[in-house]
Every structure is written in structure tokens, then in C-alpha cells.
Amino acid sequence: MSLPPAALPAVHLSAPRYVLGEQVADHTSIDNLLERARRFKMAPRAELWGWGAIRRTAKSLEALAVESARATVAAAGADPAGIDCLILCSTRFPGGPRTHGGFVEKVMSGIGLVDAAVTGLTLNRCTNLLTGIRTAHALVAAGTHRRVLVVTTDRVTDESVRMENFALFSDGSASCLISADADPLGADTYEILAGAAAQDPTSLDWSHEISSELARTVNRRILDAVGMKLDEIDGLLHPNLFKPLIALKERQAGFTRQQLHLDNITRFGHCFAADPLINLVDRQDAGELRPGGHYLLASSVPGSRVGVLLRASSPVTPDRGEN
């Protein structure tokens, strides 16, 4: 049985950063967009779905991972040699066992990590990043590691599936540092108050819909653990799926329209598992987060929901420039 949050030492998420594909393109550049829309029985109305810009990259997965991770490490004022664990997430790692060692080596050496234990996460699909954050939280709370770097990196390798029936995809990477340190130098810092996951094994197949019931279960587990109500959450940082889908599913889960953040759906669509952290960074940079505010990172895929509740513990300092 896990200990209640009050019985655990404080753990913080610091210096969230992200990078997107360097090639900015309009959704009309997707060659088979209208064909896919007809296949999915979707009216070709960009304003309805939130079709806008997408971001493509010519960079490798490891190059994207290194870029966002180095930004996190620099913003946290951390010595890479002092990071003792790396959790590396992707929905599809390239190659197989013969190539994965080289992939990890490129990421570690690119970041400057010396002797960090490495864990790879992939089977959780677009909840990979939040699953990695929850894993890092548990490792730090248990005293197994002190500073854990969590990185997610993904890109579309087949342009014919850049559009799915739930989102337009962009390439990119996001990262953050999970540690017992309350105030890393120069970093935007959040205390991790609680986290939860819920799964329905019978609906994990891709053909099923996202479940609002699983979202309600995760909400209940998190809020009960910290003695809060849903309307006390200042903002939900959700995945950037099509606007009607997010609005419907999250409203069914109990959130209000004011708690949602839909702007990034049109700005660059769905960046795999990175969306909740991307949305946190962008709201932070826009001055929309308040010290002491409560923000829920959450992501759903068919059959699974993961959430992590944060409390902002440092002033917002938008000093990164434009992504």
C-alpha cells in the first residue's frame, strides 16, 4: 500500500522545457488531410476541429531529447553529473536491442550525464511522460534517487498518418527535473502533491474511445488524497486533441471550460505524450499561472488515464524567449 502524500517527503517538478519541430507548416500541407477526414467521417472544417499549424522535424529522436533536456538542466542550474537517474520516454524507440544501447549513449552524452541510471518507457503511449513523472516522483520520495531527469521525445516517421481521427501530430520533445530540492536555481518549480492512474484492460485497444469515467476515477483518487474539490483546481493541462473531443471528454469528467486550455490545439496540435508539459510551460510563460495555484497534468488514451497534481511554488518568470 502506498503512503498518503502527507507521509511522503516533498518532491518537486522543476524547469519544464520543450522543443518542437523546426519546420512550421499549415495543416493544409498534410497531403492526405481531406482523404483522411472523409475516412473518419469528419466535416472538413478547420475551425471546428482546431486544425491550424503543425511542426515537423528533420532531427532524430535523440537530438530532440538532448535539446529539451539540456534546456531543463540549464534552467534548473543543475550539474549534469549530479543527475542520478534518467527516465526516457517515447511511443516508438527506433531499432531493437542491438541499437538501443547506442541510442541511450547519444542521449546521455549529449546531455552530459555521467552515471545516471536509465529507465525507458514506451508502452503507455501518450501517457508515457506522466507515467515517467509518477515513476520519478516515487523514486525520489523513496530516497532511491535524488535528481531524476524525465524526457519524452517523439516524431512522425510516416507522413500518411500525421492526421488521426483524434488529432493532428507535431514532432517534439519535453523534459523536466524531479527532485527533493525545493528551489533549484533559476527554475520554475512546482510541488508534486499527488498522482494517480486508472486503467480498463478491456478497452486498451486503439479502436476504443477515451474514457471520461477513467478520468473521473483519477480525479477522485487525487482529490481524496489531498482533501480538495475539483473546482479548486486552477487549470487542467490536457493533451492537444481535437477541440470537440477534449471539450466533451473533459467536461464529462467534471471540468469547466475555464479550466481547459485549448489554444495550443490550433497552434501546433498534438505532440504525443509531451502536451501536458508543453501546455504548462506556455501558460506559465503567458503569466496565467499563480504562485500557490493548483494545476493538474493529465492525459488519456483508450483504456488508460494518468494525472499528476502540482502546486506552483515559485513566481512565473518568462525568460525563455519564443519556442
Side-chain angles (χ1 to χ4, degrees), residues 23-219:
Q23 302 167 15
V24 183
D26 190 74
H27 66 277
T28 55
S29 70
I30 301 175
D31 290 338
N32 62 346
L33 178 73
L34 296 181
E35 175 189 339
R36 297 282 278 181
R38 284 193 296 269
R39 175 182 171 185
F40 298 139
K41 297 181 172 57
M42 298 171 60
R45 294 172 52 195
E47 71 282 1
L48 171 64
W49 307 107
W51 298 346
I54 56 171
R55 303 290 287 266
R56 295 186 176 99
T57 190
K59 299 175 183 178
S60 65
L61 284 179
E62 52 266 44
L64 291 170
V66 167
E67 189 174 346
S68 69
R70 285 174 65 92
T72 285
V73 172
D79 178 0
I83 295 172
D84 55 352
C85 182
L86 169 67
I87 296 180
L88 187 57
C89 311
S90 182
T91 57
R92 185 178 290 109
F93 288 111
R98 291 183 180 272
T99 62
H100 286 170
F103 179 85
V104 172
E105 188 278 328
K106 288 179 182 177
V107 173
M108 291 186 68
S109 61
I111 301 170
L113 303 180
V114 177
D115 188 27
V118 179
T119 295
L121 289 176
T122 188
L123 291 179
N124 301 86
R125 297 172 286 174
C126 289
T127 67
N128 279 332
L129 174 63
L130 297 188
T131 301
I133 289 173
R134 292 197 68 216
T135 301
H137 179 210
L139 290 171
V140 173
T144 304
H145 293 287
R146 184 162 183 83
R147 283 192 164 186
V148 182
L149 182 62
V150 183
V151 185
T152 188
T153 181
D154 278 290
R155 54 168 297 181
V156 172
T157 56
D158 180 357
E159 285 294 326
S160 70
V161 293
R162 189 169 286 278
M163 177 190 181
E164 290 288 1
N165 65 343
F166 54 90
L168 301 183
F169 281 82
S170 278
D171 308 331
S173 175
S175 54
C176 60
L177 191 66
I178 308 298
S179 72
D181 301 320
D183 188 22
L185 178 63
D188 303 305
T189 305
Y190 304 84
E191 184 179 355
I192 300 176
L193 298 183
Q199 292 197 79
D200 174 12
T202 66
S203 60
L204 284 167
D205 185 80
W206 198 250
S207 62
H208 290 274
E209 292 186 4
I210 288 172
S211 168
S212 296
E213 178 57 37
L214 290 177
R216 288 192 292 269
T217 298
V218 167
N219 290 346

